[in-house]
Amino acid sequence: MPKLLVRDLAQVVSPAGREAPLRGGALRELDLVERAYVLCDGGSIAAVGTMSELEPLDGEVLELDGRGLCALPGLVDCHTHPAFAGDRVHEFSLRAGGASYEELHAAGGGILSTVRATRAAGEDELTLAVVRHRDWMLRAGTTTFEGKSGYGLDRETELASLRAVRSAGGIPTWLGAHATPPEHDDPDAYLDFVLAEVLPEAAAMAEAADVFLERGAFDATQARRYLEACRDRGLALRLHGDQFTESGAIQLAIELGARSVDHLEATGPAGVAALAASGVTGVLLPASALFLGRPMPPARALVDAGAAVALATDFNPGSAFCESLPLVCSLAATQLRLSPAEALGACTVNAAYVLARADRIGRLAPGFAADVTLLGAPDWRYLAYHLGGEVVVGVVRGGAVSRPPGAY
Ligand code: NIG
Ligand code: FE
């Protein structure tokens, strides 16, 4: 692979330092270089500096013109549900007319309607769907994505979902406890089935397990049973918690040493304090809160209390049909009262930390993966500033140009 030089950039920005996760004031610290270059070699960042310091390079070098562009670390989406077929546009219209997400779920729609479509699709169609969703994310500047199963809920479709995420280059999470499918009488009977019949193979393919701990899904006792069994098979733990109600997800996540608890729209002050004092990262999903018309999570309080906070899209067909981390950064700045710098740290370093990869991705610094997101803007803060704009104009992944810079 030839070296890749992105030259004459307006700005190169990266979260400062080397530590992870970034908490409190450290989440705001950036390294910013103006009139700058980024040199990639062998899939890694070799150097970042000002154009005036750039020495002549030997060997084969591919050059990209960075005039008028800013370079950021490739964005990291640590919470997505890309393994689904069909859509929920009909329910979306019903919700616009006043139906609630929880009512649709209780009436057998919601997650279970996507389960029906995903089971019917077959593995080839599912694999193509994950690739299509991956390409949408890449176009919006995401160079690393986690992808959950959870729309199969039978052995064959759950395993096919994990294979599809992996073959599309994603990091698979087994969301075996997303809902109870109709062929099982209740959540406990369903857990008997998945833990006996799906977990052994899912554990060999996934990196983490996830559970939807919520009224109408799985309660804290059931979530504990599922997560402990998954932990015993070597999986890291994640939880969907405090989306609609505070149902004990934070306490359980802390007790089990989970990597993250995600959503937190319903979290109150005690939950904020508990999370801040723990090693569990809070993953905030403001696109989902917006899409469902829910309260925003207490991001400012979490960061100020010293919690590790990440941002993600929650891309899925029901609660967040949104693959754009730049849009999530806009929501972070306008709705969560996070600064653009805090938003950037939350969807790079801290998201990489949730995926146990913060030593390799999330920063533009020598030795890190050569994953670079290029903004067509004179100032990197356009990432959050341009609400819904096509601010990402180019993407480099692993030192290769995945999306050549185009017009803004
Ligand atoms: O993270 N809350 C549970 N799971 C997804 C939504 C799934 C769906 O509606 O299809 C979420 O919001
Ligand atoms: Fe989710």
Side-chain angles (χ1 to χ4, degrees), residues 79-81 148 175 178 210 240 262-263 285 314 316 319:
H79 183 140
T80 86
H81 304 251
K148 303 174 196 295
L175 179 49
H178 198 192
D210 199 341
H240 281 68
D262 305 36
H263 274 291
L285 311 166
D314 197 21
N316 76 75
S319 72

Side-chain angles (χ1 to χ4, degrees), residues 31-44:
D31 288 331
L32 188 129
V33 188
E34 304 211 291
R35 290 180 289 284
Y37 74 89
V38 177
L39 179 64
C40 310
D41 190 6
S44 296

